Amino acid sequence: MKPTRSRPSLIVLLLTLAPAVLVLSVVVVAKLRGLVTFDVVMHDMATVADVHPLSGFVSRLGLLVWAAAAAVSLFGAYFVYRLGSARAGFLLASGMLSLIMLVDDGFMVHERLAVEYLGLSEKVTLGLIVMMAAAWLVAFRRSILEAGPFFLIMSVGMLGFSVFADVFIEGMAAPEYLHDWQSLLEDGPKFIGITLWLAFHAHAAFHFVSRAPATASRGLAMETRPRPYPEKRLTA
């Protein structure tokens, strides 16, 4: 028996092309309004800034790790949703939170964009992100405990220390010879925290995806199990 081939549907094609077309449309509109040039937004950062290709190497790796965490959670959410698992909401929210972290980190939202275009200070924007993360922790605490919070606790600790170093330690006067080490102190724990964030979400997605088929099969068995007819009472 030959395996059936998967055929791409029109909906999948539209969902694939729509984000790319939207991004290019925004770029064209920004160009027509004189806000950007194509050379700045279309080329690689190292080419635009005329710096070494390895500039920002660790930072760019961190963005890839954020993206991996979002992809793992969103794919897991879709999979367990198709099987009727109640944990789809947790994985979906986790993926969206990882995307928010990715956008903030990749486009310097709390450092530059929110300040210049929204008039929000860096501390206010960071506070909003922390509030979203706290709401996620409270809303899905049972799912987090079920998946095992070890990696998440370590990740939050590392990311929290990085935020502390970024907001408070950066403003302190430091000797000239410590400036490079100060960057390591700020961004080193951040990179470790991102990798631990991926470890938690990959473990959580694997846990709930591996349990979803068994849960769905038990639910299906309960639904299809024949129900006994009620006993008829004998009347005199």
Side-chain angles (χ1 to χ4, degrees), residues 90 136 144 147-152 195-205:
F90 163 70
W136 172 77
I144 293 172
F150 176 73
F151 290 116
L152 181 62
T195 57
L196 291 169
W197 181 270
L198 170 61
F200 167 75
H201 286 88
H203 177 75

Side-chain angles (χ1 to χ4, degrees), residues 52 59 127 156 177 182 210 212 235:
H52 194 277
S59 178
V156 171
Y177 63 87
Q182 186 173 345
S210 61
T235 58

Side-chain angles (χ1 to χ4, degrees), residues 141-161:
R141 58 189 181 278
R142 293 182 179 177
S143 299
I144 293 172
L145 290 175
E146 181 181 347
F150 176 73
F151 290 116
L152 181 62
I153 294 173
M154 294 184 64
S155 173
V156 171
M158 286 293 180
L159 293 174
F161 180 81

Side-chain angles (χ1 to χ4, degrees), residues 102-151:
L102 169 63
V103 172
D104 176 70
D105 192 13
F107 298 101
M108 302 179 68
V109 174
H110 73 269
E111 295 100 331
R112 294 283 301 276
L113 295 184
V115 176
E116 296 178 5
Y117 295 100
L118 299 178
L120 299 176
S121 66
E122 180 177 350
K123 293 182 180 180
V124 171
T125 308
L126 281 175
L128 292 175
I129 296 176
V130 171
M131 288 176 60
M132 286 188 290
W136 172 77
L137 287 171
V138 173
F140 299 103
R141 58 189 181 278
R142 293 182 179 177
S143 299
I144 293 172
L145 290 175
E146 181 181 347
F150 176 73
F151 290 116

Side-chain angles (χ1 to χ4, degrees), residues 32-90:
L32 295 177
R33 299 186 61 179
L35 299 177
V36 297
T37 62
F38 289 141
D39 290 340
V40 171
V41 296
M42 299 297 292
H43 292 168
D44 187 81
M45 181 66 71
T47 303
V48 175
D50 193 19
V51 294
H52 194 277
L54 294 180
S55 299
F57 168 70
V58 176
S59 178
R60 285 191 285 179
L61 278 182
L63 297 180
L64 294 177
V65 178
W66 281 128
V72 166
S73 296
L74 293 176
F75 179 79
Y78 174 77
F79 187 86
V80 299
Y81 172 77
R82 292 291 300 270
L83 293 175
S85 173
R87 302 306 185 189
F90 163 70

